[in-house]
Amino acid sequence: MAEIRFEAFEDALELLSPEGLAPLRQRIQVRRDPLLGHTGVYNPALQDKARTLFGDIDREALIRLVAESAERCIFCPGRLEATPRYPAALFPEGRLKQGEAVLFPNLYALARHHAVVVVSEAHFLELREFTPQRIGDAMLLMQKFMETVSQQEPDTAYATLNANYLYPAGASLVHPHFQLLMGPRPYAHQARLLEAWREYREREGSAYAADLATTEQRLGERYIGEQGGWHWLAAWAPLGNHEIQAMHASAADFAVLPESEVEALAEGLSRMLRLYEDLGFLSFNFALYSQRGHEAARLFLRLVARQNPAPHYRSDDYFLQKLQQTELILLPPEELASRARRFFG
Ligand SMILES: [Zn+2]
């Protein structure tokens, strides 16, 4: 194995404060992702402003939004039956069901296979209500879907398991749901990961994800815990707010992962959503990258918090993130990991 090196550069600046025209010195740290090179910038002076940037969840507005959107929600029990179905050749029953979870095709597909999984019967869930059982049932349905599709269409080697929760995260419906994209070619970010993992393996002779987990475990600063083959950590240079990552020690293809390890992933994800709730967040995105036939690859998950739902909320995705591929670090990843470890016991 090789040791992962975490690069950062520091800079300093001076400005005059509005009050007394006294010189104000600030230091910034720019961190570089060891694999892909995207950057994250941390200015300790912004830490006090974090609350203002993210605001509190507007509970009154949220209750109104949940009630109004429930009236015509197509994912709520009673209306869910009217959603699309799969042709009998793929799934004779038309839809897949397990526990409260129901999987069916997206009417406006963004890949050859684009499945939607409704996670709960409830129209709205607090983050603590994304239980291991609910997430696990939804994940197992996506796995079953992948298994069937990959048998019938061996070229569908690439899949991502995704979530947008609530409007600030890009969801068009409040009702908790995940989305699976599957096809014969990886989309841009997954392709960049695959290429970088392959280059790393050629250079170092080992898998990047395994080396990253080992290095982070040894350093102990951003490492959160291990469960059922999955390593959890806070990202050195996050791609989104409060990014938590999980990587599997050896597997790359979600379709063939043992059930107990799918359940372990669901358990970890549920714990990290409880962490987000503890930090005052409600909206989130995640993506899990799965691929077949890539020796250097591992299953890899990114989880990020998004802006809190409130009328006229500020977007947390502006020029810095969208066009500079640089995330603003408001809580140092080391502190995020330290708070996350409490949820890993
Ligand atoms: Zn609903």
Side-chain angles (χ1 to χ4, degrees):
M1 84 146 262
E3 190 81 357
I4 305 294
R5 294 210 346 265
F6 299 100
E7 288 173 21
F9 67 85
E10 307 238 330
D11 220 335
L13 59 115
E14 192 173 299
L15 52 94
L16 298 180
S17 77
E19 298 89 18
L21 294 182
L24 203 62
R25 284 187 68 78
Q26 292 185 356
R27 292 197 69 81
I28 55 167
Q29 187 195 47
V30 181
R31 297 174 172 210
R32 192 176 170 276
D33 182 77
L35 185 73
L36 300 178
H38 57 259
T39 38
V41 57
Y42 176 58
N43 178 345
L46 257 176
Q47 221 176 350
D48 303 333
K49 217 188 153 195
R51 214 53 261 169
T52 335
L53 289 179
F54 275 86
D56 292 321
I57 300 160
D58 184 332
R59 283 280 158 187
E60 255 178 55
L62 183 68
I63 289 167
R64 235 174 12 246
L65 167 72
V66 169
E68 282 168 12
S69 59
E71 284 169 23
R72 348 163 259 289
C73 174
I74 52 168
F75 292 170
C76 269
R79 291 186 208 96
L80 186 59
E81 284 307 300
T83 51
R85 290 167 177 269
Y86 283 101
L90 191 59
F91 293 106
E93 57 276 49
R95 292 195 183 105
L96 301 180
K97 290 181 188 172
Q98 175 157 335
E100 290 177 57
V102 185
L103 181 150
F104 51 89
N106 191 322
L107 195 53
Y108 306 100
L110 303 177
R112 188 196 289 175
H113 293 285
H114 185 168
V116 176
V117 189
V118 168
V119 175
S120 61
E121 285 176 358
H123 178 65
F124 168 79
L125 295 177
E126 297 288 352
L127 294 191
R128 64 181 169 278
E129 295 172 311
F130 281 86
T131 56
Q133 180 79 49
R134 282 183 169 133
I135 298 176
D137 285 342
M139 291 271 174
L140 286 167
L141 282 192
M142 290 193 275
Q143 186 185 44
K144 192 176 171 197
F145 179 88
M146 288 172 68
E147 211 181 334
T148 306
V149 169
S150 48
Q151 278 162 10
Q152 294 195 12
E153 302 166 30
D155 67 330
T156 51
Y158 303 96
T160 56
L161 291 75
N162 310 279
N164 304 323
Y165 190 49
L166 301 177
Y167 300 147
S172 57
L173 293 170
V174 167
H175 203 120
H177 60 286
F178 298 159
Q179 300 185 56
L180 169 76
L181 301 179
M182 192 173 178
R185 274 173 291 276
Y187 288 175
H189 191 70
Q190 190 172 18
R192 284 179 66 200
L193 286 169
L194 289 167
E195 181 58 17
W197 284 331
R198 189 189 58 76
E199 278 173 9
Y200 181 90
R201 192 187 160 93
E202 271 175 19
R203 196 171 65 241
E204 308 291 348
S206 45
Y208 175 80
D211 288 357
L212 178 64
T214 309
T215 305
E216 289 287 32
Q217 204 163 9
R218 189 184 59 73
L219 294 173
E221 293 177 307
R222 287 169 298 278
Y223 193 78
I224 298 167
E226 191 271 341
Q227 197 184 26
W230 294 88
H231 295 278
W232 293 83
L233 49 95
W236 161 256
L239 260 189
N241 293 303
H242 300 71
E243 183 182 342
I244 301 282
Q245 301 180 340
M247 55 215 71
H248 195 276
S250 54
D253 181 6
F254 192 73
V256 293
L257 198 67
E259 189 172 323
S260 64
E261 294 179 7
V262 176
E263 284 164 357
L265 172 69
E267 171 76 45
L269 203 45
S270 175
R271 288 176 189 210
M272 292 302 96
L273 291 178
R274 270 155 47 210
L275 162 73
Y276 278 1
E277 178 169 296
D278 191 60
L279 290 165
F281 294 119
L282 179 58
S283 193
F284 67 88
N285 291 118
F286 70 70
L288 170 68
Y289 307 91
S290 168
Q291 46 277 310
R292 196 165 54 249
H294 289 267
E295 223 186 333
R298 295 291 182 271
L299 286 166
F300 177 56
L301 174 120
R302 294 185 187 277
L303 169 69
V304 298
R306 298 301 306 270
Q307 194 65 320
N308 279 325
H312 317 298
Y313 65 83
R314 152 202 170 268
S315 172
D316 56 5
D317 199 21
Y318 54 105
F319 69 86
L320 190 70
Q321 293 83 359
K322 196 109 184 144
L323 303 175
Q324 321 274 15
Q325 288 220 323
T326 297
E327 186 50 79
L328 186 60
I329 301 173
L330 290 165
L331 184 66
E334 294 70 28
E335 202 179 318
L336 177 63
S338 142
R339 295 184 68 156
R341 279 193 283 271
R342 290 183 224 153
F343 291 84
F344 249 78

